[in-house]
Amino acid sequence: MKRIISSFLTVLMLCVLCVTALAEPQTIDGWNVTWELTENDTVLPDGSTGLTLTIGGTGNMPGFSVSTLSDNRPWAAAVNTITTVEIKSGVTGIAGNAFRDCTSLENVSIPSGVT
């Protein structure tokens, strides 16, 4: 029982650190696309606060590999709490799998010209 509680607290702490570390837009390695997670006003069924994922920069988003064994999306640890996605002007393409398994996603804003 202590191991389960310890594991749960470790995962929770990592999630909090992940969200805290993302106060500034982060660049996706090798691309001119940035991403940022911020809290919003949505309260999820478990009582946690929803997150807004903002994608900015210029050009296409890179492709992402998502499977049960690995997930190379920078926001992978937050997929269950992302409720809103905002794509900013300048981004020209959305990658496949970018929002896969975002089970709480309710709102998406995509400007014209994005493919």
Side-chain angles (χ1 to χ4, degrees):
M1 183 66 164
K2 287 183 180 181
R3 282 186 180 174
I4 293 171
I5 293 171
S6 176
S7 296
F8 174 77
L9 291 175
T10 300
V11 169
L12 182 62
M13 188 172 67
L14 288 173
C15 289
V16 169
L17 289 173
C18 177
V19 171
T20 304
L22 303 179
E24 298 289 322
Q26 306 292 311
T27 302
I28 298 174
D29 290 340
W31 299 86
N32 293 323
V33 177
T34 62
W35 64 282
E36 179 179 14
L37 286 172
T38 54
E39 289 186 344
N40 60 40
D41 294 333
T42 305
V43 177
L44 299 173
D46 67 359
S48 63
T49 303
L51 298 175
T52 297
L53 171 62
T54 304
I55 308 283
T58 57
N60 291 324
M61 291 172 61
F64 298 109
S65 173
V66 178
S67 71
T68 55
L69 299 176
S70 68
D71 187 339
N72 71 343
R73 294 174 293 181
W75 50 85
V79 295
N80 293 324
T81 54
I82 295 172
T83 60
T84 302
V85 172
E86 295 179 3
I87 309 292
K88 297 294 187 180
S89 182
V91 175
T92 56
I94 299 172
N97 295 315
F99 313 119
R100 180 177 173 181
D101 299 326
C102 289
T103 56
S104 298
L105 187 58
E106 296 176 353
N107 303 299
V108 179
S109 172
I110 303 172
S112 63
V114 175
T115 56

